[in-house]
Amino acid sequence: MNIIPMSYHKLTHLKELEAESIYIIREVAAQFEKPVILFSGGKDSIVVTHLAYKAFYPAKLPFPLLHIDTGHNFAETIEYRDALVEKLGATLIVGSVQESIDKGRVKEENGYDASRNKLQTTTLLDVIEEGKFDAAIGGARRDEEKARAKERIFSHRDDFGQWNPKNQRPELWNIFNGHKNMGEHFRVFPISNWTEMDVWQYILQEQIEMPSIYYTHERTVFQRDGQWLAAEPCMKLRPTETVEVRRVRCRTIGDISCTGLALSEAHTLEDIIEEIAVTRVTERGSRADDKRSETAMEDRKKSGYF
């Protein structure tokens, strides 16, 4: 009888990524007292939640989900969030940007390009402080944006919740250092090494149900600075901007004010994967908040953003 060594059985690249991510999530459970999953309702946070579910199955998800609600969310995202929480029997914590505005913690932006996206930072840090969470698990990936590429998997935040890209821990092989001082916390990114294509291929492999907004649908939109944006009540249109109905979908989901929509005919997961394979526009290229300056993302991250 020929015995095949275990090392011969090669994992597919998706299984390797899954194994790495599950290992990281279990390390969070082992090293921290009170972790939380940052859940936006976007594909990356959905995949992270799915991985956490698999990591501890058949036990229940050991971490609550934390959603920072800007008040300007797509209805499809909120519907999906609530259905998923009920399906998993998970605990949901909602931090409200509107409440932060009402309390005077942040000031609402004005003008045509006003957005609540940046305001999420204060709400997030307040919830982390109030909940005494010592690790916040997020769905950021290094291929998304140049500031993300500087990020460690265990990303240290100081006692003000801020990120210093020059003061991050070395990560050798699969050794993660979660040591922190009182008041500090970590952001943990289990899918750092994944790409957008990996995420969608994994969603197809696992047959993960996704919000309908990721698929082609008709929506009233308008064009601004070369991007299609949703014509929702929270959006203030310039006199020269006109509303029309187009067939669009989201590649990345955030606050309505900064989430660009792509013209698309992708009705299935296979269609989405095929579309991504040939596109020459980056995923974050549809996010208006990244276009405010050359260092927009890094500046937000330094102040405590996701």
Side-chain angles (χ1 to χ4, degrees), residues 18-297:
E18 179 189 64
E20 177 189 54
S21 299
I22 286 177
Y23 172 80
I24 292 165
I25 291 168
R26 287 173 177 165
E27 276 293 293
V28 173
Q31 294 194 39
F32 297 98
E33 294 183 7
K34 200 173 182 184
V36 66
I37 294 176
L38 300 176
F39 188 83
S40 67
K43 65 184 183 306
D44 299 316
S45 65
I46 291 170
V47 166
V48 167
T49 303
H50 179 81
L51 289 163
Y53 173 78
K54 290 191 76 170
F56 301 102
Y57 182 83
K60 282 193 173 183
L61 193 67
F63 316 127
L65 305 184
L66 170 57
H67 179 221
I68 302 302
D69 182 359
T70 66
H72 294 164
N73 299 290
F74 289 101
E76 296 94 330
T77 304
I78 301 301
E79 290 169 6
Y80 179 92
R81 178 201 71 185
D82 294 344
L84 182 64
V85 167
E86 182 177 357
K87 177 182 176 181
L88 297 179
T91 299
L92 174 66
I93 300 167
V94 178
S96 169
V97 172
Q98 183 61 56
E99 287 185 12
S100 297
I101 294 170
D102 295 341
K103 292 177 181 177
R105 294 283 293 142
V106 293
K107 184 178 179 181
E108 182 121 49
E109 294 180 359
N110 297 309
Y112 294 111
D113 294 315
S115 173
R116 289 187 173 184
N117 193 57
K118 187 177 179 181
L119 307 187
Q120 295 181 86
T121 299
T122 298
T123 307
L124 172 62
L125 294 177
D126 285 348
V127 174
I128 288 175
E129 175 68 22
E130 291 166 10
K132 301 188 184 303
F133 297 115
D134 55 358
I137 307 168
R141 307 186 325 269
R142 290 182 179 135
D143 77 317
E144 286 182 85
E145 200 271 346
K146 56 189 176 183
R148 298 286 200 204
K150 300 178 182 180
E151 193 74 84
R152 295 287 193 270
I153 291 174
F154 272 36
S155 180
H156 176 262
R157 296 298 194 270
D158 64 20
D159 51 356
F160 293 102
Q162 297 180 335
W163 174 65
N164 181 353
K166 296 180 180 179
N167 186 31
Q168 295 294 304
R169 313 279 174 81
E171 290 181 344
L172 307 175
W173 301 287
N174 60 350
I175 300 173
F176 301 104
N177 181 1
H179 177 74
K180 61 180 180 55
N181 297 315
M182 183 67 69
E184 299 174 346
H185 73 276
F186 276 80
R187 306 289 172 83
V188 181
F189 304 110
I191 62 171
S192 288
N193 294 329
W194 297 44
T195 66
E196 181 186 13
M197 179 64 83
D198 293 331
V199 168
W200 281 111
Q201 288 179 334
Y202 185 73
I203 289 168
L204 175 62
Q205 173 186 284
E206 299 290 297
Q207 288 296 295
I208 301 172
E209 185 178 351
M210 300 298 290
S212 60
I213 198 169
Y214 274 117
Y215 301 97
T216 294
H217 59 284
E218 288 192 346
R219 186 175 292 272
T220 53
V221 296
F222 66 97
Q223 199 165 39
R224 175 179 293 172
D225 300 328
Q227 289 183 315
W228 292 101
L229 298 171
E232 298 286 340
C234 62
M235 299 296 284
K236 183 178 180 181
L237 273 65
R238 293 183 172 91
T240 55
E241 294 171 334
T242 57
V243 173
E244 53 189 290
V245 177
R246 290 279 185 147
R247 298 182 65 79
V248 296
R249 77 174 191 88
C250 283
R251 283 180 69 185
T252 176
I253 296 176
D255 186 77
I256 287 174
S257 62
C258 61
T259 300
L261 299 158
L263 300 178
S264 174
E265 291 296 334
H267 298 277
T268 66
L269 291 173
E270 290 85 353
D271 290 343
I272 290 173
I273 290 170
E274 184 177 345
E275 186 177 88
I276 293 169
V278 299
T279 187
R280 292 296 176 264
V281 178
T282 63
E283 178 184 3
R284 298 286 305 193
S286 62
R287 289 294 291 268
D289 50 329
D290 289 350
K291 300 176 186 289
R292 291 194 169 193
S293 75
E294 285 294 319
T295 60
M297 172 63 84

